[in-house]
């Protein structure tokens, strides 16, 4: 069975029964590796409901992160995976499933090239019409994107703002 990492702010419920304004995030500051041979890793909200997942903000790759995501299932968060100014070449996100999110499945901003390949990125069923805007959101970066299946986004599958002059972004397949 998969390894499950569940975000929950259940001890921080306010008087009216809603989650607090803060979100739980999973920050990667060092080496994180999951592989196709070790079995699936699942990151999700305890609520399992993107409409009410006030406890789960998503995964943040810090500039010091050295990451190889493979066979990862990430769902029910605001932005599922945030890569901001990653300093290590070779960061790889592959063969994973990203689903049920409010804003963006994968956001990559600045830093060294990040490779995103062979993933399934889908909005998910039953979401509010305002949710699930973008599959991959790029800003000032040079990612390698290939072999992904992106479907059902409210706005676009891939959005690129101020790409680097050496941007090597291939369209989703």
């Amino acid at each position: 069975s998969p390894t499950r990492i569940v975000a929950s702010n259940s001890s921080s419920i306010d008087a009216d029964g809603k989650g607090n304004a803060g979100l739980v995030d999973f920050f990667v500051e060092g080496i994180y590796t999951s592989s196709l041979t070790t079995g699936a890793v699942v990151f999700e909200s305890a609520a399992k409901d993107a409409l009410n997942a006030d406890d789960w903000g998503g995964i943040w790759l810090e500039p010091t992160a050295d990451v190889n995501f493979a066979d990862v299932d990430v769902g029910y968060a605001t932005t599922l995976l945030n890569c901001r100014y990653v300093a290590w070449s070779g960061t790889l996100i592959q063969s994973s499933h990203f689903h049920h999110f409010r804003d963006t499945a994968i956001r990559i901003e600045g830093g060294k090239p990040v490779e995103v390949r062979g993933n399934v990125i889908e909005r998910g069923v039953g979401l509010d019409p305002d949710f699930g805007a973008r599959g991959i959101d790029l800003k000032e970066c040079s990612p390698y994107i290939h072999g992904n299946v992106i479907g059902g986004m409210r706005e676009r599958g891939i959005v690129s703002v101020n790409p680097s002059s050496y941007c090597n972004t291939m369209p989703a397949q």
Side-chain angles (χ1 to χ4, degrees), residues 22 25 92 94 98 100 118 121 152 161 164:
D25 293 306
L92 176 63
Q94 70 170 343
F98 297 89
H100 294 92
I121 302 168
V161 177
S164 298

Side-chain angles (χ1 to χ4, degrees), residues 3-89:
T3 300
R4 299 187 94 70
I5 300 171
V6 179
S8 176
N9 242 355
S10 59
S11 62
S12 302
I13 304 298
D14 59 23
D16 65 2
K18 296 181 181 176
N20 68 7
L23 300 175
V24 173
D25 293 306
F26 180 75
F27 289 89
V28 179
E29 297 178 344
I31 297 171
Y32 178 87
T33 301
S34 60
S35 71
L36 296 172
T37 60
T38 59
V41 176
V42 178
F43 291 89
E44 64 187 19
S45 166
K48 290 191 179 179
D49 178 357
L51 296 172
N52 298 306
D54 291 332
D55 52 3
W56 176 222
I59 300 169
W60 289 80
L61 303 186
E62 293 293 291
T64 55
D66 182 4
V67 173
N68 182 348
F69 273 163
D71 200 16
V72 175
D73 184 298
V74 186
Y76 305 100
T78 301
T79 296
L80 301 176
L81 182 62
N82 293 278
C83 307
R84 296 189 65 224
Y85 302 100
V86 174
W88 296 95
S89 291

